[in-house]
Amino acid sequence: MAGGTGSAPAPSPRRSWWAAWRRWRKGRPFWGGLAAVVAGAEICALPLAPLKIMLEQGIAGIPSVLMGLVMIVMGLSAWFAPQFRALAGVLTVVVATAALVMSNLGGFLFGTVVGVVGGGLVFAWQPLAPEPEPEYSAEPEAEPEPQPHLPPKETS
C-alpha cells in the first residue's frame, strides 16, 4: 500500500459469514451428523415410496420410518448437542445395523453403510483442546547470574 493509511480493508459480510460457518462446523461432529441424517432420511423414505417400487409394504413400513426418524434425530443431536456425541454415535450404529434386517436391507444397503460410517464418525469426534494462554508477569524475568569459570582440575 504505497501512500495508504496502512489499515486493512474491512472483511466483507460474506467472508465473516463463511468464517462463522466454519467455526460452527469445526466445533461439532458435522460430517458424522450429516451422514446420519442422510442415512436416516434414506431409510425413512423407502417405505414411503410409490407402490410400484415397494410392493405391499404393509405394517412392516412402520419400523423403517421409526428407525429413520431416530437416525435423523441422532444426527441433529450430534450437531446441536455435541456433548452427547457418544450416545448419538452408538445409537446411530445400532439403529443402522438393525435397519439391515428390519428395513429393506437397510435402505438397500446404502442407509446401513452410511449410517454405520456416520455413527462411527460421531462417536470418534473429539473437541479441540483450547490453546493455553501465554502467561505474562508484571516483572521482567531476571537474567541468570553468570557462573564463574573454573579451570579444569589436573589429575596426576
Side-chain angles (χ1 to χ4, degrees), residues 60-86:
I62 294 172
S64 299
V65 173
L66 290 177
M67 285 188 288
L69 289 175
V70 168
M71 288 179 67
I72 291 170
V73 167
M74 290 300 107
L76 294 175
S77 71
W79 284 350
F80 298 111
Q83 64 270 23
F84 299 118
R85 66 187 177 277

Side-chain angles (χ1 to χ4, degrees), residues 62-127:
I62 294 172
S64 299
V65 173
L66 290 177
M67 285 188 288
L69 289 175
V70 168
M71 288 179 67
I72 291 170
V73 167
M74 290 300 107
L76 294 175
S77 71
W79 284 350
F80 298 111
Q83 64 270 23
F84 299 118
R85 66 187 177 277
L87 176 65
V90 169
L91 282 178
T92 301
V93 170
V94 168
V95 171
T97 306
L100 183 64
V101 177
M102 299 177 73
S103 173
N104 302 316
L105 291 175
F108 300 123
L109 291 179
F110 177 78
T112 295
V113 171
V114 174
V116 168
V117 169
L121 287 172
V122 168
F123 184 77
W125 179 83
Q126 291 290 320

Side-chain angles (χ1 to χ4, degrees), residues 13-35:
R14 180 178 177 198
R15 188 169 290 213
S16 64
W17 179 85
W18 186 254
W21 163 250
R22 288 186 65 191
R23 257 191 324 274
W24 182 85
R25 187 187 52 164
K26 288 184 178 187
R28 58 203 75 249
F30 179 77
W31 295 111
L34 181 66

Side-chain angles (χ1 to χ4, degrees), residues 37-65:
V37 168
V38 167
E42 200 267 342
I43 288 173
C44 191
L46 279 180
L48 304 175
L51 191 60
K52 291 180 182 178
I53 296 173
M54 303 305 299
L55 297 174
E56 298 209 20
Q57 185 72 26
I59 194 91
I62 294 172
S64 299
V65 173

